[in-house]
Amino acid sequence: MENLVEPLGVLLLAGLFGGILINRFKLPAVTGYILAGLVVGPAILKLVSVESIEYLNPINSIALGVIALVIGGEMEIKTLRKLGKSIMWIGVMEILGAAALVCGIMLLLGQPLPIALLLGGLATATAPAATVAVVKEARARGPVTESLLAIVALDDALGVIVFGLMAAVAKVVVGGEKGASMGHLISAPFIEIFYSLLLGAVSGFILAYIARRSNKNQTLLTYTLGIVFLTAGLAYHWGLSAILANMVVGAILVNTSPRRRKIFNLIEGIEIPIFVAFFALAGASLEVGMLGQVGLVGLAYVVTRMAGKVSGAYAGGQIGRALPVVKKYLGWGLMPQAGVVVGLTMVAQRIYPEGGKLLLNIVLTSVVISELLGPVFSRKALEMAGEIPHDNKRNIRDISTSI
């Protein structure tokens, strides 16, 4: 086995430097982490080898567990109740719109069914940080702004659920169970999701119980990380969704534990180095030679995902009887894609290794494009909705985003 300490140090330092550097251009730090990983990886400088990337894969599982926990922490019941019927319809329909449209277009382009299903599931995830940063920078106020902030709070959670369903179907297809009945094909995803949620519920209540009796911050943090990693490990061992399981852990904590804020504050204090390594490793895994090969498919993914988000949000607004201005402009604020989608891509690669490189290159290309252009679309939508004060229409480069 190679010396893994050196490449890990290279990824951490390069990723951090890349994030700091790209922030000087008022661009998202996550894009800098990915680009830095690409530079030091096998594609360019070769400071991190292909073998090192493979051996460092456990970092993905660690980061995925933390990401899922944080997403679950956003699912507070009292907050969900305030969202209202129209917001729920918009959230569900923009997720389904992106998944269905991307999956359908991929099939029309001749991609295998597992690739189409997995890309459809990956298309659902949205990065809330970029959208929130635009709203704050622009000091936007109004129904579109309020609805947009409500949607991004739920978007990753809903997206993970839809991805879990589509990934489970893809897993059955890849498994080559030729003798499987239609009933099995339909029930298998729901069985996997059910047991993933059950595992998360058990782990969540155990952690909530421990948290009530733990007084020291570092002890509480150790318990939390231990439960998160154990939950992820058991999920992988049993063929379940580690993201769904740990998302439930976070949801149970935020709704039942009196110490929920302390727990999530402790996690926030350690997540940056984990995420830097995670995104830099993802960037190092990017094969530049594949970019030309994913040209049409990659472009189709980016365009159809955005079209699915916009049309789905409009349809949800129609069903939920949202204001016309909300139906017209809200979907344009949902383009940014980063964070959890990279983690979901790692899961997709394990499900369909034959298409793993294609999936990763398409998604990472989409992340870079959407993180660069997403804030522009979000701000323009808010401007056209008339929700940005006239004295605050500054240059879009003033937007500074991070994970």
Side-chain angles (χ1 to χ4, degrees):
M1 181 180 291
E2 288 193 5
N3 173 20
L4 300 182
V5 179
E6 179 184 339
L8 179 57
V10 169
L11 287 171
L12 278 170
L13 294 175
L16 184 61
F17 177 76
I20 293 172
L21 180 62
I22 209 163
N23 266 335
R24 292 181 178 275
F25 298 94
K26 307 304 180 184
L27 295 174
V30 64
T31 305
Y33 302 155
I34 293 172
L35 291 177
L38 173 63
V39 170
V40 301
I44 302 180
L45 295 181
K46 297 180 174 57
L47 297 178
V48 179
S49 67
V50 174
E51 292 76 15
S52 295
I53 293 173
E54 292 176 355
Y55 284 126
L56 288 171
N57 269 335
I59 291 176
N60 297 328
S61 300
I62 292 172
L64 279 173
V66 175
I67 290 171
L69 183 76
V70 172
I71 292 172
E74 297 176 357
M75 301 182 67
E76 200 166 4
I77 292 177
K78 66 179 182 180
T79 301
L80 298 179
R81 287 174 177 168
K82 295 177 182 178
L83 298 179
K85 183 177 68 172
S86 66
I87 296 301
M88 292 303 296
W89 273 114
I90 292 172
V92 170
M93 293 302 294
E94 56 93 3
I95 288 286
L96 296 180
L101 192 56
V102 168
C103 183
I105 293 297
M106 290 300 119
L107 290 174
L108 289 177
L109 291 176
Q111 293 299 312
L113 180 57
I115 289 286
L117 287 167
L118 292 170
L119 283 176
L122 293 169
T124 60
T126 301
T131 301
V132 172
V134 171
V135 170
K136 290 183 177 179
E137 182 270 339
R139 292 184 294 170
R141 294 288 185 273
V144 175
T145 302
E146 293 172 358
S147 300
L148 183 59
L149 292 175
I151 289 295
V152 298
L154 283 177
D155 205 64
D156 274 348
L158 292 173
V160 166
I161 292 173
V162 174
F163 172 81
L165 179 59
M166 299 183 77
V169 174
K171 186 184 293 184
V172 174
V173 174
V174 171
E177 300 177 34
K178 298 179 180 179
S181 65
M182 183 58 67
H184 174 72
L185 291 174
I186 295 174
S187 63
F190 290 96
I191 292 173
E192 177 179 335
I193 291 173
F194 171 77
Y195 283 112
S196 299
L197 298 177
L198 180 61
L199 172 62
V202 172
S203 298
F205 282 116
I206 290 174
L207 181 54
Y209 176 82
I210 293 174
R212 294 191 188 97
R213 287 156 178 77
S214 179
N215 297 320
K216 296 182 179 179
N217 288 346
Q218 295 307 313
T219 301
L220 181 57
L221 177 60
T222 304
Y223 277 131
T224 301
L225 292 177
I227 292 292
V228 168
F229 298 162
L230 179 60
T231 301
L234 290 175
Y236 292 135
H237 180 71
W238 291 330
L240 304 176
S241 170
I243 292 181
L244 271 180
N246 274 311
M247 188 179 72
V248 174
V249 174
I252 289 176
L253 279 179
V254 79
N255 287 291
T256 65
S257 176
R259 306 200 67 194
R260 54 187 177 273
R261 294 303 165 208
K262 173 61 69 176
I263 292 174
F264 287 107
N265 286 340
L266 290 171
I267 290 293
E268 185 178 352
I270 65 161
E271 64 186 12
I272 293 301
I274 293 175
F275 289 170
V276 170
F278 175 66
F279 287 115
L281 182 60
S285 303
L286 181 62
E287 293 185 9
V288 178
M290 285 286 293
L291 296 180
Q293 301 176 32
V294 303
L296 178 59
V297 178
L299 179 62
Y301 173 85
V302 174
V303 174
T304 55
R305 174 182 173 271
M306 191 63 208
K309 290 279 184 182
V310 174
S311 60
Y314 185 89
Q318 284 281 77
I319 297 172
R321 297 183 179 181
L323 294 173
V325 69
V326 173
K327 292 186 291 185
K328 188 174 182 179
Y329 295 116
L330 187 142
W332 295 99
L334 300 173
M335 183 180 180
Q337 185 171 46
V340 72
V341 73
V342 180
L344 294 177
T345 304
M346 304 301 178
V347 176
Q349 286 183 301
R350 286 195 290 269
I351 293 173
Y352 192 56
E354 296 89 340
K357 293 297 183 182
L358 177 66
L359 289 168
L360 182 63
N361 280 275
I362 288 175
V363 169
L364 289 182
T365 301
S366 171
V367 166
V368 173
I369 293 174
S370 66
E371 285 291 276
L372 292 175
L373 298 181
V376 179
F377 279 89
S378 298
R379 184 180 177 99
K380 190 63 178 178
L382 294 173
E383 283 183 1
M384 296 180 70
E387 299 190 2
I388 297 180
H390 289 290
D391 62 347
N392 201 48
K393 293 183 179 179
R394 299 176 297 210
N395 192 295
I396 189 63
R397 286 172 61 95
D398 287 340
I399 298 171
S400 177
T401 55
S402 57
I403 286 183

